[in-house]
Every structure is written in structure tokens, then in C-alpha cells.
Amino acid sequence: MKNNINRGMSRSFLKTGIVCLAAAAGIFTYKNFTGYTKVTKVATYNNCKVVTWAETNTVNGGNLYYVEAIKLNRDRAEIDFDRFYNDAGYDVYNDSISKDDTETVLFQGSVSWTHLKHFINYSDNKLTVYKTDKGKEFPVYNIDCDAKEAECEYRRIDRPVRWYTLYAVLSVLGIFCLVNYYKQAKVARNFENENYQFVPQKGYETLEGGIASLNIEREKMYDKNLQAYELSRFNNHQPRRDARYALRNDTTLESFTNEHRWKQREWRNK
């Protein structure tokens, strides 16, 4: 094997990762600017009352949310003018024909809970309605919004899940490639000779030199640990007096030091 195998793999991972992340960012920016659905304005209903309600979905057991625009026709009286002029007993207030209030539904459509929340305290007597290219009508809570703003509101009703999934897949794939790029580049730095053999990162010329250095570091660590152990054992054997008095006991301390040095020599000779 040649030493450029991992280096070539790392470059491939780097290029693929950059392309995936750039594609995800580019498509996301473009679709947010142009929109996911084409919408057109239907009408703005004036002098109407906007109401909301929810009902249980018998299919999946969830809730369905609705927004409705209602125009209310007030009572009015119809006077019989023949009786008014010719009948002296005609009572205008009681004998006139009256009509009850009637309601005309101007719009009714289902929305999501996220979109419905903007209409719960809706106090305006106007409602603007848009529709998608597939014919679905939906209300907007900003009466004077344009088509771009209306399309952004429609995303609350029908989220573009497929596009969001595409962004997630491209992002995860890009991050995965960049992680593998880093790993392969690290391996390529360690295998830099033509025979594809390991070269220690600390700069040792041979593998034996690296192992010898590790052994020396291990001996130093052993000496430190053994010295700390012996010193703690020495302090535990001393009477409970002042620490300065224990250090002045040169004979006992010297015996512990000699024992420590002997154990060091015994371990090195193994």
C-alpha cells in the first residue's frame, strides 16, 4: 500500500462533506426566498365575525381546528303601508312583519393548532383568505399581507416535511463526512512513509525509540507513585506529634528512603 491512501480518502470525505452542507444551505435559502407553495388571494371579507372551534377527529382521535368568518344579518321590520294609512287600529310596532337574524358563512376552513392560536383573540371585523395551487383555502391573520407572507403563514398549516427531511439528511451526511475526513487525515499524518508503517507523533525516528521512551516515562511514574506511597506509610507510622518533629527523626526517615531505593533497583532489574 502507498502512503496516500488515507490522504486520498480524507480529501474525498472533505469534498463530499462540503458539497452536502453547501447543498443543504443553498436549497434552504432558495426555498425560503421563493416559497414552498404557490398561493393566490381569494378575497378580504368585511363586516364579518371570526370564530374558532375544535372537534374530535373520529379517525385518529386527535383534534380538528377550524376558523370561520360569519356575516350577521340584523332584524328588520316590514311595514304594511296599506293598513298603516287605512286601518286606524294598525300597530306599527306589534303588527309589522319582522325577520329574525340570519347568518351567512363567508369562509370556513381547517387549520393547525399553531395557526389557530393567532385567531383565538382575533377582534378585527375583516378576514383575508388565500388559496394554494391545489385549491385549499386558508385564512391569514395579517389582513394586508402579500402572497409571500401568506405562504409563510401557510407553512404553519401544512409544513413542508419532505423538504425539511432533505435538509436533515444532507446536514447529517455532511457532518459525517467531515468527521471521517478528520479521522483519515489524522491517520495519514501517522503513516507518512512509503512502507505504510506507523510513525509515532512525538517525532521518534524508529518504533523502538518510541517504545523505549514510553518505558522511561513509565519508570518515572512508578518512582513517583512509590515515593508517595512510602512517604505516606512513613507518616502513618509516626506518633501523633507535630509534623516538624517527625521530619527531625532522621534515622527512621533514612531507613524508609533506603528501602525505597532498594525497591527501585529491584524493579529495574526485572
Side-chain angles (χ1 to χ4, degrees), residues 134-145:
K134 295 182 180 180
K136 178 178 175 56
E137 296 186 356
F138 64 96
V140 292
Y141 45 83
N142 185 3
I143 300 175
D144 299 324
C145 70

Side-chain angles (χ1 to χ4, degrees), residues 37 46 64 74 119 154 165-166 185 187 216 232 236 245 268:
T37 306
N46 299 315
L64 296 175
R74 299 296 181 182
F119 293 96
Y154 182 70
T165 303
L166 176 62
V187 174
I216 293 173
S232 63
N236 292 334
Y245 175 79
R268 290 171 182 172

Side-chain angles (χ1 to χ4, degrees), residues 41 43-51 67-70 106-108 119 122 124-130 138-143:
K41 185 176 180 180
T44 297
Y45 301 108
N46 299 315
N47 301 321
C48 63
K49 179 181 180 182
V50 178
V51 296
V67 174
E68 187 177 69
I70 301 173
L106 302 176
F107 167 79
Q108 183 185 100
F119 293 96
Y122 192 84
D124 207 321
N125 61 351
K126 298 180 181 181
L127 182 67
T128 300
V129 177
Y130 276 79
F138 64 96
V140 292
Y141 45 83
N142 185 3
I143 300 175

Side-chain angles (χ1 to χ4, degrees), residues 193-237:
N193 55 77
E194 295 181 355
N195 295 326
Y196 204 73
Q197 293 180 354
F198 177 74
V199 178
Q201 294 184 5
K202 293 187 176 181
Y204 299 105
E205 296 181 355
T206 62
L207 179 62
E208 291 76 9
I211 295 176
S213 176
L214 293 176
N215 288 334
I216 293 173
E217 294 295 331
R218 186 176 62 178
E219 290 181 7
K220 291 181 180 179
M221 183 62 65
Y222 176 82
D223 292 343
K224 292 180 180 179
N225 294 337
L226 184 59
Q227 185 177 3
Y229 169 74
E230 296 294 349
L231 184 59
S232 63
R233 192 160 66 92
F234 167 74
N235 292 331
N236 292 334
H237 280 77

Side-chain angles (χ1 to χ4, degrees), residues 10-229:
S10 66
R11 285 196 295 266
S12 298
F13 278 121
L14 177 61
K15 292 178 181 178
T16 305
I18 293 177
V19 169
C20 290
L21 293 178
I27 297 174
F28 177 79
T29 303
Y30 174 77
K31 295 302 293 183
N32 273 274
F33 179 77
T34 59
Y36 295 89
T37 306
K38 183 179 179 180
V39 299
T40 55
K41 185 176 180 180
V42 176
T44 297
Y45 301 108
N46 299 315
N47 301 321
C48 63
K49 179 181 180 182
V50 178
V51 296
T52 61
W53 82 91
E55 63 182 25
T56 303
N57 188 348
T58 57
V59 178
N60 57 17
N63 291 329
L64 296 175
Y65 304 99
Y66 293 91
V67 174
E68 187 177 69
I70 301 173
K71 187 172 184 180
L72 185 63
N73 300 315
R74 299 296 181 182
D75 289 345
R76 63 181 185 273
E78 291 186 356
I79 302 174
D80 188 347
F81 289 97
D82 291 336
R83 294 184 60 190
F84 179 76
Y85 291 111
N86 301 321
D87 189 356
Y90 178 72
D91 188 348
V92 175
Y93 296 100
N94 296 323
D95 296 338
S96 297
I97 301 174
S98 61
K99 293 186 178 181
D100 297 332
D101 291 346
T102 58
E103 295 181 351
T104 303
V105 177
L106 302 176
F107 167 79
Q108 183 185 100
S110 62
V111 297
S112 65
W113 167 248
T114 306
H115 195 62
L116 180 76
K117 291 189 295 184
H118 296 278
F119 293 96
I120 293 178
N121 296 321
Y122 192 84
S123 58
D124 207 321
N125 61 351
K126 298 180 181 181
L127 182 67
T128 300
V129 177
Y130 276 79
K131 70 176 180 179
T132 66
D133 53 353
K134 295 182 180 180
K136 178 178 175 56
E137 296 186 356
F138 64 96
V140 292
Y141 45 83
N142 185 3
I143 300 175
D144 299 324
C145 70
D146 55 12
K148 185 177 180 179
E149 295 174 336
E151 192 274 334
C152 291
E153 290 190 27
Y154 182 70
R155 297 177 200 174
R156 299 177 181 271
I157 302 173
D158 186 10
R159 297 183 181 277
V161 179
R162 294 182 179 179
W163 287 101
Y164 291 168
T165 303
L166 176 62
Y167 303 148
V169 171
L170 290 175
S171 300
V172 171
L173 182 59
I175 294 173
F176 172 79
C177 290
L178 292 181
V179 171
N180 280 274
Y181 151 74
Y182 172 77
K183 292 181 179 179
Q184 294 298 328
K186 185 177 180 181
V187 174
R189 287 194 298 268
N190 293 336
F191 293 86
E192 294 179 349
N193 55 77
E194 295 181 355
N195 295 326
Y196 204 73
Q197 293 180 354
F198 177 74
V199 178
Q201 294 184 5
K202 293 187 176 181
Y204 299 105
E205 296 181 355
T206 62
L207 179 62
E208 291 76 9
I211 295 176
S213 176
L214 293 176
N215 288 334
I216 293 173
E217 294 295 331
R218 186 176 62 178
E219 290 181 7
K220 291 181 180 179
M221 183 62 65
Y222 176 82
D223 292 343
K224 292 180 180 179
N225 294 337
L226 184 59
Q227 185 177 3
Y229 169 74

